[in-house]
Amino acid sequence: MLPNVFLADTSESRPYERPSGGGGEAKRPERDRKAHADKLVRQIDAAIAEEDEDAKERGGTYLRFNSSPLFPLDPEAFENRIHKVVLLRMDTDLDTGRMSATVFVPRGKEGFFRQKVTDYADESQATREGHPRNQEFVEDVDEVSKPTAKSFWSGTADEYPDGVAIWCEIWINTSQTSAEDALGKFAAYCDGRNVQQSADYLIFPECVVVMAKLDGKSIEEMLREIGAVSEIRRAAEPTSTFVNADARFQKELVDDLVGRLTIDATETSICVLDTGVNASHPLLVPAVKDGTVISARSGWPSSDADGHGTSMAGIALYNDLKASVLGQGPVSVGHHIESVRIFPPSGANEQSMYGVITRDAVSEIEIAQPASNRVFCMAVTDDGGITDGSPTSWSAEVDKLAAAVGENEEDKRLLLVSAGNVDTNEFRAVPYPGTNLTSAVESPAQAWNALTVGAYSDDVMTNEAGLEGFSGMAEKGGLCPYSRTSHIWDDMWPIKPEICCDGGNLATNGFNWIDSLDMSKLSTSNDLPSSYFTSIRATSSATAQASWMAARIMDAHPGIWPETVRALLVHSARWTDAMRRQFLPEHDTMKGPRRDLLRTCGWGIPNIDYALGSLDNRVNLIIQGEIQPFKEDGTCNEMRVHELPWPKEELLGLSEKEVELRVTLSYFIEPNPGERGWTDKFQYQSCGLRFQVIGKNQDYDEFLGFVSKKMRDGGTDYARGSASSEWYLGQDNRDAGSIHSDFKRISAADLCDARYVAVYPVGGWWKMLKSLGKRTEKLRYALVVSIDSAEVEANLYNEIVAKIKIPTETTIPTP
């Protein structure tokens, strides 16, 4: 295998402005101008009067604005930073199509919305075009009222704690105040009312998340005393899969493997965030450094009483432990295993938010072992009441940890998270794979910056006693029956899972189904000395395998960025024929079914050899770059245009032979969670990036103008030659989340011209929220471009290397 090619100094900065798009004028309900204004003024006055006493206590008034059914509201119309009027949340009633906006108006500014309505009614206030002032805002609103306590609840109605107190997350907006002030007021409320609260909290750019035990009455009391509460959620209760298989092998097998084992570990490690690890297991002892099996909280044990964490560690260390045990040759391991227990010794984490526990776990291991190049591996998930892909406090904290918000660029982290497992009982109502399509990826796996791992099935046969006549539910290479998907999510949310690894299979006879040891992965048991081996399956097993791959890449490329490791795993992934048969029609020509494939299986199964290196006829070019997306005034700043060192003569020699061009772009966003519409300035992501490759009929200037309006002159058709239809997935499918990957097959001669790739910004809250001071921030990205002529012999690698100066293998070029 040949080393990957890291490119340096390949790009130039070019001015960027988004080309104009289409779109018609928004529709809104027909209104009688005076009558509608009078109605809204009465409703605003009534709501303010009803809120008056409470407003004195909390320092402001809550108002709720409702649209007409099926007519949207513009989130930006409900916020004014000068008057400190803040939009707290937006939601839509799926039954009626009515959209609602809840706002907080500070004391003394109660007349803000009333004035907007009276200006609309006053003909002397008309715009220069003759339209009523504030027409869009006033005509979009159908009614105004005081919000009820239940209107702040995010979750189903039957989960609302009318009579019995439950642990709740309270999201408090801090866009017009400080986090410290909000935390102080909330603590004072809890102390004054004897409300049980957690000392832990999470801070995001425009909100803090706190936790308290509340019932319906205390929620109403809290809303009377605390301003700018945007939402209240039931705190999720953790679920994870624990394995109960009996031991199948004897201790002699362990002793034999230990005798053949070599630990050639560098500073690379995999840190398992789970139920702890039994570090005394003979197969784990050699790879565990002193002081790296710990717990997230003082007083918690670091040992593993349940077994899940120890079985995760066995896969993360050996990948295929069965092959190592049954083999006869030497076994070499190139990384360490670390463990942070994130579960209390009894019960669940109901007194602390999951995001806080995860944050503390990361902090504890980094203090204990600061020099490690670390992969974080977590296969603990919960639905959290969220099934649509929107963020939770837990997933947002995972995003924050990955992006190292408030830390140094060098502190960014690679976090691998399991997609979560299907409730297999649901197959009775909706047979496989239908249940997988409707079972959404669980929190925190919707995190944009995490690499989320789903599962496929490799084993299909079982010889277990009692399972005669049973075989695998999924065919070999198909989607694992346990694996959750993002099939039902809106396309605005990330593609999850991004990759799939072996999660075993369910055994079925066509009527019943059962977990099968023979169709699971062999791993290390915590139950010493009673047993040394156990089994593990589903997305837990898959996540541990993916972590092993990530550690291999880190070990092979010292100094590589986490964004780049994630890019290489996705870039190396391929769909199996079984996956294609499951989710694509026989004649695969439509982008829609490809979306189904992508949002169930991600980009497929990663290939560690493809990720680690190149061949003569398959070359990976890796770029680690940086971009400043926006200027101080909020306009777009630049795009980065990379020139690729294609071997023109070699490609022309291949002529009409088909080659594959594959491009993957990976970066980490800074999260800004909160239910505020998810549009324009209220976007979750700090900034998005996209890529474009020059088309076969474009010259360089046309390409620049096609991507950036700033690079245009008059009289040129900049849409010509974009060749967007050639890409297999297309922009509509691939441009979600913070990793984008696509490929196309073109003639080698046409590839000669495809030597420019542009990376350019799209919107986010860095641009829109000036007050947060992030407009001139820079963003790192990894770009992986490969050329593959697998069906023809070619010496592409040497020709490419001859055109560039290759850095040494131990040095990763950075901007």
Side-chain angles (χ1 to χ4, degrees), residues 354-383:
Y354 300 146
V356 173
I357 296 295
T358 305
R359 180 195 66 197
D360 291 349
V362 168
S363 175
E364 290 296 324
I365 195 63
E366 289 179 342
I367 292 171
Q369 201 64 231
S372 288
N373 301 313
R374 184 174 286 110
V375 179
F376 287 97
C377 171
M378 185 166 69
V380 180
T381 63
D382 188 279
D383 65 14

mmCIF file of all heavy atoms in Angstrom, residues 354-383:
data_model
loop_
_atom_site.group_PDB
_atom_site.id
_atom_site.type_symbol
_atom_site.label_atom_id
_atom_site.label_comp_id
_atom_site.label_asym_id
_atom_site.label_seq_id
_atom_site.Cartn_x
_atom_site.Cartn_y
_atom_site.Cartn_z
ATOM 1 N N TYR A 354 -27.339 14.548 30.815
ATOM 2 C CA TYR A 354 -26.388 13.699 30.093
ATOM 3 C C TYR A 354 -25.237 14.497 29.505
ATOM 4 O O TYR A 354 -24.101 14.038 29.493
ATOM 5 C CB TYR A 354 -27.100 12.950 28.965
ATOM 6 C CG TYR A 354 -28.201 12.050 29.423
ATOM 7 C CD1 TYR A 354 -29.332 11.863 28.645
ATOM 8 C CD2 TYR A 354 -28.121 11.389 30.637
ATOM 9 C CE1 TYR A 354 -30.352 11.034 29.069
ATOM 10 C CE2 TYR A 354 -29.133 10.569 31.066
ATOM 11 C CZ TYR A 354 -30.253 10.392 30.277
ATOM 12 O OH TYR A 354 -31.254 9.579 30.701
ATOM 13 N N GLY A 355 -25.536 15.680 28.993
ATOM 14 C CA GLY A 355 -24.475 16.501 28.411
ATOM 15 C C GLY A 355 -23.418 16.854 29.433
ATOM 16 O O GLY A 355 -22.220 16.866 29.137
ATOM 17 N N VAL A 356 -23.835 17.146 30.651
ATOM 18 C CA VAL A 356 -22.893 17.481 31.717
ATOM 19 C C VAL A 356 -22.022 16.280 32.048
ATOM 20 O O VAL A 356 -20.795 16.400 32.191
ATOM 21 C CB VAL A 356 -23.649 17.961 32.972
ATOM 22 C CG1 VAL A 356 -22.698 18.146 34.142
ATOM 23 C CG2 VAL A 356 -24.382 19.260 32.685
ATOM 24 N N ILE A 357 -22.629 15.093 32.179
ATOM 25 C CA ILE A 357 -21.866 13.888 32.474
ATOM 26 C C ILE A 357 -20.853 13.612 31.367
ATOM 27 O O ILE A 357 -19.694 13.271 31.626
ATOM 28 C CB ILE A 357 -22.808 12.685 32.648
ATOM 29 C CG1 ILE A 357 -23.726 12.898 33.855
ATOM 30 C CG2 ILE A 357 -22.018 11.395 32.806
ATOM 31 C CD1 ILE A 357 -23.021 12.949 35.182
ATOM 32 N N THR A 358 -21.284 13.750 30.120
ATOM 33 C CA THR A 358 -20.367 13.523 28.998
ATOM 34 C C THR A 358 -19.235 14.533 29.017
ATOM 35 O O THR A 358 -18.063 14.184 28.829
ATOM 36 C CB THR A 358 -21.137 13.613 27.670
ATOM 37 O OG1 THR A 358 -22.244 12.713 27.690
ATOM 38 C CG2 THR A 358 -20.235 13.252 26.500
ATOM 39 N N ARG A 359 -19.567 15.797 29.265
ATOM 40 C CA ARG A 359 -18.537 16.839 29.357
ATOM 41 C C ARG A 359 -17.540 16.531 30.472
ATOM 42 O O ARG A 359 -16.325 16.641 30.287
ATOM 43 C CB ARG A 359 -19.203 18.187 29.609
ATOM 44 C CG ARG A 359 -18.244 19.374 29.733
ATOM 45 C CD ARG A 359 -18.948 20.567 30.333
ATOM 46 N NE ARG A 359 -19.340 20.307 31.717
ATOM 47 C CZ ARG A 359 -20.246 21.040 32.375
ATOM 48 N NH1 ARG A 359 -20.884 22.023 31.770
ATOM 49 N NH2 ARG A 359 -20.522 20.756 33.633
ATOM 50 N N ASP A 360 -18.050 16.119 31.631
ATOM 51 C CA ASP A 360 -17.164 15.818 32.755
ATOM 52 C C ASP A 360 -16.290 14.605 32.464
ATOM 53 O O ASP A 360 -15.117 14.560 32.860
ATOM 54 C CB ASP A 360 -17.992 15.575 34.019
ATOM 55 C CG ASP A 360 -18.666 16.846 34.526
ATOM 56 O OD1 ASP A 360 -18.323 17.938 34.028
ATOM 57 O OD2 ASP A 360 -19.535 16.737 35.415
ATOM 58 N N ALA A 361 -16.855 13.610 31.777
ATOM 59 C CA ALA A 361 -16.074 12.421 31.430
ATOM 60 C C ALA A 361 -14.910 12.783 30.524
ATOM 61 O O ALA A 361 -13.774 12.320 30.719
ATOM 62 C CB ALA A 361 -16.980 11.389 30.745
ATOM 63 N N VAL A 362 -15.178 13.612 29.522
ATOM 64 C CA VAL A 362 -14.119 14.057 28.603
ATOM 65 C C VAL A 362 -13.052 14.825 29.366
ATOM 66 O O VAL A 362 -11.842 14.627 29.176
ATOM 67 C CB VAL A 362 -14.730 14.918 27.483
ATOM 68 C CG1 VAL A 362 -13.649 15.631 26.684
ATOM 69 C CG2 VAL A 362 -15.590 14.051 26.558
ATOM 70 N N SER A 363 -13.482 15.716 30.245
ATOM 71 C CA SER A 363 -12.529 16.512 31.016
ATOM 72 C C SER A 363 -11.645 15.642 31.903
ATOM 73 O O SER A 363 -10.423 15.837 31.979
ATOM 74 C CB SER A 363 -13.293 17.528 31.870
ATOM 75 O OG SER A 363 -12.428 18.237 32.723
ATOM 76 N N GLU A 364 -12.255 14.659 32.572
ATOM 77 C CA GLU A 364 -11.501 13.819 33.504
ATOM 78 C C GLU A 364 -10.400 13.034 32.802
ATOM 79 O O GLU A 364 -9.269 12.953 33.290
ATOM 80 C CB GLU A 364 -12.446 12.861 34.229
ATOM 81 C CG GLU A 364 -13.373 13.526 35.234
ATOM 82 C CD GLU A 364 -12.630 14.170 36.385
ATOM 83 O OE1 GLU A 364 -11.590 13.612 36.816
ATOM 84 O OE2 GLU A 364 -13.071 15.229 36.858
ATOM 85 N N ILE A 365 -10.696 12.444 31.639
ATOM 86 C CA ILE A 365 -9.666 11.644 30.967
ATOM 87 C C ILE A 365 -8.593 12.541 30.362
ATOM 88 O O ILE A 365 -7.413 12.168 30.313
ATOM 89 C CB ILE A 365 -10.296 10.708 29.904
ATOM 90 C CG1 ILE A 365 -9.292 9.638 29.470
ATOM 91 C CG2 ILE A 365 -10.784 11.482 28.700
ATOM 92 C CD1 ILE A 365 -8.872 8.693 30.579
ATOM 93 N N GLU A 366 -8.957 13.729 29.927
ATOM 94 C CA GLU A 366 -7.949 14.632 29.362
ATOM 95 C C GLU A 366 -7.025 15.182 30.442
ATOM 96 O O GLU A 366 -5.857 15.466 30.178
ATOM 97 C CB GLU A 366 -8.638 15.763 28.602
ATOM 98 C CG GLU A 366 -9.275 15.281 27.308
ATOM 99 C CD GLU A 366 -9.992 16.373 26.521
ATOM 100 O OE1 GLU A 366 -10.299 17.428 27.115
ATOM 101 O OE2 GLU A 366 -10.251 16.151 25.324
ATOM 102 N N ILE A 367 -7.530 15.335 31.648
ATOM 103 C CA ILE A 367 -6.669 15.721 32.769
ATOM 104 C C ILE A 367 -5.740 14.568 33.143
ATOM 105 O O ILE A 367 -4.540 14.759 33.398
ATOM 106 C CB ILE A 367 -7.525 16.146 33.982
ATOM 107 C CG1 ILE A 367 -8.258 17.455 33.688
ATOM 108 C CG2 ILE A 367 -6.661 16.286 35.237
ATOM 109 C CD1 ILE A 367 -9.290 17.830 34.727
ATOM 110 N N ALA A 368 -6.294 13.354 33.148
ATOM 111 C CA ALA A 368 -5.506 12.186 33.537
ATOM 112 C C ALA A 368 -4.429 11.854 32.517
ATOM 113 O O ALA A 368 -3.332 11.402 32.879
ATOM 114 C CB ALA A 368 -6.424 10.984 33.736
ATOM 115 N N GLN A 369 -4.719 12.044 31.234
ATOM 116 C CA GLN A 369 -3.781 11.665 30.171
ATOM 117 C C GLN A 369 -3.831 12.722 29.061
ATOM 118 O O GLN A 369 -4.418 12.513 27.992
ATOM 119 C CB GLN A 369 -4.169 10.295 29.628
ATOM 120 C CG GLN A 369 -3.085 9.542 28.901
ATOM 121 C CD GLN A 369 -1.904 9.166 29.777
ATOM 122 O OE1 GLN A 369 -0.766 9.436 29.424
ATOM 123 N NE2 GLN A 369 -2.158 8.554 30.931
ATOM 124 N N PRO A 370 -3.222 13.882 29.284
ATOM 125 C CA PRO A 370 -3.385 14.997 28.339
ATOM 126 C C PRO A 370 -2.695 14.812 26.998
ATOM 127 O O PRO A 370 -3.051 15.494 26.034
ATOM 128 C CB PRO A 370 -2.787 16.183 29.107
ATOM 129 C CG PRO A 370 -1.846 15.576 30.096
ATOM 130 C CD PRO A 370 -2.439 14.262 30.473
ATOM 131 N N ALA A 371 -1.729 13.913 26.901
ATOM 132 C CA ALA A 371 -0.929 13.822 25.667
ATOM 133 C C ALA A 371 -1.516 12.892 24.621
ATOM 134 O O ALA A 371 -1.006 12.809 23.503
ATOM 135 C CB ALA A 371 0.493 13.377 26.013
ATOM 136 N N SER A 372 -2.576 12.184 24.932
ATOM 137 C CA SER A 372 -3.097 11.167 24.004
ATOM 138 C C SER A 372 -3.730 11.778 22.764
ATOM 139 O O SER A 372 -4.367 12.833 22.818
ATOM 140 C CB SER A 372 -4.136 10.292 24.712
ATOM 141 O OG SER A 372 -3.530 9.440 25.645
ATOM 142 N N ASN A 373 -3.548 11.080 21.633
ATOM 143 C CA ASN A 373 -4.352 11.329 20.434
ATOM 144 C C ASN A 373 -5.552 10.396 20.555
ATOM 145 O O ASN A 373 -5.436 9.197 20.359
ATOM 146 C CB ASN A 373 -3.561 11.023 19.166
ATOM 147 C CG ASN A 373 -2.301 11.865 19.080
ATOM 148 O OD1 ASN A 373 -2.344 13.073 19.299
ATOM 149 N ND2 ASN A 373 -1.178 11.231 18.778
ATOM 150 N N ARG A 374 -6.711 10.964 20.859
ATOM 151 C CA ARG A 374 -7.785 10.148 21.420
ATOM 152 C C ARG A 374 -8.998 10.059 20.509
ATOM 153 O O ARG A 374 -9.429 11.043 19.910
ATOM 154 C CB ARG A 374 -8.178 10.755 22.774
ATOM 155 C CG ARG A 374 -9.195 10.010 23.560
ATOM 156 C CD ARG A 374 -9.370 10.642 24.944
ATOM 157 N NE ARG A 374 -8.249 10.354 25.820
ATOM 158 C CZ ARG A 374 -7.351 11.256 26.216
ATOM 159 N NH1 ARG A 374 -7.447 12.511 25.829
ATOM 160 N NH2 ARG A 374 -6.353 10.912 27.008
ATOM 161 N N VAL A 375 -9.587 8.876 20.458
ATOM 162 C CA VAL A 375 -10.894 8.644 19.869
ATOM 163 C C VAL A 375 -11.867 8.387 21.011
ATOM 164 O O VAL A 375 -11.623 7.513 21.841
ATOM 165 C CB VAL A 375 -10.891 7.422 18.927
ATOM 166 C CG1 VAL A 375 -12.280 7.194 18.332
ATOM 167 C CG2 VAL A 375 -9.855 7.574 17.832
ATOM 168 N N PHE A 376 -12.954 9.153 21.070
ATOM 169 C CA PHE A 376 -13.983 8.902 22.066
ATOM 170 C C PHE A 376 -15.050 7.990 21.456
ATOM 171 O O PHE A 376 -15.551 8.254 20.362
ATOM 172 C CB PHE A 376 -14.629 10.205 22.538
ATOM 173 C CG PHE A 376 -13.734 11.027 23.435
ATOM 174 C CD1 PHE A 376 -12.979 12.062 22.921
ATOM 175 C CD2 PHE A 376 -13.649 10.739 24.785
ATOM 176 C CE1 PHE A 376 -12.153 12.814 23.732
ATOM 177 C CE2 PHE A 376 -12.820 11.486 25.619
ATOM 178 C CZ PHE A 376 -12.068 12.532 25.094
ATOM 179 N N CYS A 377 -15.389 6.943 22.191
ATOM 180 C CA CYS A 377 -16.332 5.924 21.708
ATOM 181 C C CYS A 377 -17.480 5.822 22.704
ATOM 182 O O CYS A 377 -17.263 5.460 23.871
ATOM 183 C CB CYS A 377 -15.600 4.596 21.565
ATOM 184 S SG CYS A 377 -16.651 3.171 21.229
ATOM 185 N N MET A 378 -18.707 6.125 22.274
ATOM 186 C CA MET A 378 -19.867 6.095 23.174
ATOM 187 C C MET A 378 -21.038 5.400 22.496
ATOM 188 O O MET A 378 -21.505 5.845 21.450
ATOM 189 C CB MET A 378 -20.258 7.513 23.592
ATOM 190 C CG MET A 378 -21.378 7.554 24.621
ATOM 191 S SD MET A 378 -21.579 9.177 25.408
ATOM 192 C CE MET A 378 -22.208 10.116 24.014
ATOM 193 N N ALA A 379 -21.497 4.316 23.101
ATOM 194 C CA ALA A 379 -22.634 3.556 22.564
ATOM 195 C C ALA A 379 -23.765 3.535 23.584
ATOM 196 O O ALA A 379 -24.353 2.495 23.867
ATOM 197 C CB ALA A 379 -22.203 2.140 22.189
ATOM 198 N N VAL A 380 -24.055 4.695 24.138
ATOM 199 C CA VAL A 380 -25.155 4.867 25.078
ATOM 200 C C VAL A 380 -26.071 5.934 24.489
ATOM 201 O O VAL A 380 -25.626 7.043 24.197
ATOM 202 C CB VAL A 380 -24.661 5.313 26.463
ATOM 203 C CG1 VAL A 380 -25.823 5.493 27.423
ATOM 204 C CG2 VAL A 380 -23.660 4.312 27.017
ATOM 205 N N THR A 381 -27.339 5.610 24.277
ATOM 206 C CA THR A 381 -28.258 6.542 23.631
ATOM 207 C C THR A 381 -29.604 6.532 24.321
ATOM 208 O O THR A 381 -29.898 5.666 25.141
ATOM 209 C CB THR A 381 -28.468 6.181 22.146
ATOM 210 O OG1 THR A 381 -29.077 4.877 22.059
ATOM 211 C CG2 THR A 381 -27.165 6.181 21.377
ATOM 212 N N ASP A 382 -30.431 7.507 23.959
ATOM 213 C CA ASP A 382 -31.793 7.592 24.479
ATOM 214 C C ASP A 382 -32.616 8.371 23.475
ATOM 215 O O ASP A 382 -32.106 9.293 22.833
ATOM 216 C CB ASP A 382 -31.797 8.309 25.828
ATOM 217 C CG ASP A 382 -33.165 8.257 26.499
ATOM 218 O OD1 ASP A 382 -34.029 9.067 26.143
ATOM 219 O OD2 ASP A 382 -33.354 7.392 27.365
ATOM 220 N N ASP A 383 -33.908 8.023 23.339
ATOM 221 C CA ASP A 383 -34.715 8.769 22.376
ATOM 222 C C ASP A 383 -35.001 10.184 22.859
ATOM 223 O O ASP A 383 -35.218 11.086 22.052
ATOM 224 C CB ASP A 383 -36.007 8.041 22.025
ATOM 225 C CG ASP A 383 -36.964 7.894 23.199
ATOM 226 O OD1 ASP A 383 -36.778 8.569 24.223
ATOM 227 O OD2 ASP A 383 -37.906 7.098 23.077
#
